[in-house]
Amino acid sequence: MSSISRRSLIGYSGTTAAGAVLGSAASAQPAQAAEAQTEAEAASAVFPPDTLFSGMSRISHTDTGTELYVKFSVEVAETPPAGAGITPQEIAELLSDFAVSRGWPPITFYGRPAPTALN
């Protein structure tokens, strides 16, 4: 909730306006909490080595759509030196950015078998 007190809102703008502001702040909190939970789940998802990640983007035309499917997995034989590691998250973001640079909508990649968003 905001740092504005209910009493100062009532005194400043009237009961109806204060109720509207407080009501909108209260309804925004569940949406923000749900978004934060989704982000936390994606950040805390642990994908085993050799997980297959896949994503799809679609460009709609008049009656048909063109779809782009991208799949990748990452395998590292040994632990890379400090600063040389490449994460699946980084690859997903680069592939999505590349698709966007060519006119496609962003691609959200999901890990398999866990249906959790990677990016």
Side-chain angles (χ1 to χ4, degrees):
M1 186 180 280
S2 70
S3 61
I4 300 173
S5 72
R6 183 178 179 162
R7 181 174 294 214
S8 66
L9 278 173
I10 292 172
Y12 177 71
S13 59
T15 306
T16 305
V21 170
L22 291 172
S24 66
S27 66
Q29 288 177 347
Q32 291 170 346
E35 182 179 323
Q37 181 179 358
T38 302
E39 290 175 4
E41 287 172 359
S44 66
V46 176
F47 296 100
D50 300 328
T51 297
L52 178 62
F53 297 99
S54 61
M56 186 267 289
S57 184
R58 183 169 208 245
I59 296 178
S60 297
H61 296 286
T62 53
D63 291 333
T64 62
T66 303
E67 296 174 341
L68 170 69
Y69 293 93
V70 180
K71 297 178 182 180
F72 72 92
S73 64
V74 179
E75 180 181 344
V76 179
E78 296 178 16
T79 304
I86 299 173
T87 66
Q89 174 77 27
E90 293 170 320
I91 293 170
E93 290 173 6
L94 287 170
L95 290 171
S96 181
D97 290 347
F98 180 66
V100 168
S101 76
R102 297 297 174 102
W104 292 88
I107 302 172
T108 298
F109 288 90
Y110 294 89
R112 302 287 184 248
T116 304
L118 175 63
N119 63 333

